Amino acid sequence: MDLVEKFDAKGKTGGAYHVEVYQTALEEADKAAPPGLKTYKLADGRALDPLSDAKFKIVQTGEKIYRV
């Protein structure tokens, strides 16, 4: 996977987070990871579920964070 984007996000309590977006390259694609599939993670490695283009949920804690 290739790092394709980085941006900052904030939680409702004001906590700041750094988000990294990874995308599967076409030549790396296989049945487990279709080409172009994006994966969102915090800089510390925790997984994110995208809820919209600007809203994400930290899988580990359930906290919702927002792109700034």
Side-chain angles (χ1 to χ4, degrees):
M1 281 204 213
D2 297 323
L3 179 63
V4 294
E5 184 180 2
K6 288 184 179 183
F7 60 88
D8 292 325
K10 285 198 176 188
K12 286 187 176 183
T13 60
Y17 299 92
H18 299 289
V19 176
E20 298 177 344
V21 184
Y22 294 88
Q23 189 168 17
T24 305
L26 293 175
E27 59 272 2
E28 294 176 17
D30 59 21
K31 292 179 184 175
L37 179 69
K38 289 185 178 180
T39 302
Y40 297 84
K41 294 182 181 183
L42 293 177
D44 66 10
R46 290 184 286 171
L48 295 174
D49 279 337
L51 303 174
S52 72
D53 287 339
K55 187 176 175 182
F56 303 86
K57 182 173 76 173
I58 301 172
V59 173
Q60 185 180 21
T61 65
E63 180 182 2
K64 291 179 182 167
I65 62 173
Y66 304 87
R67 185 189 294 245
V68 291

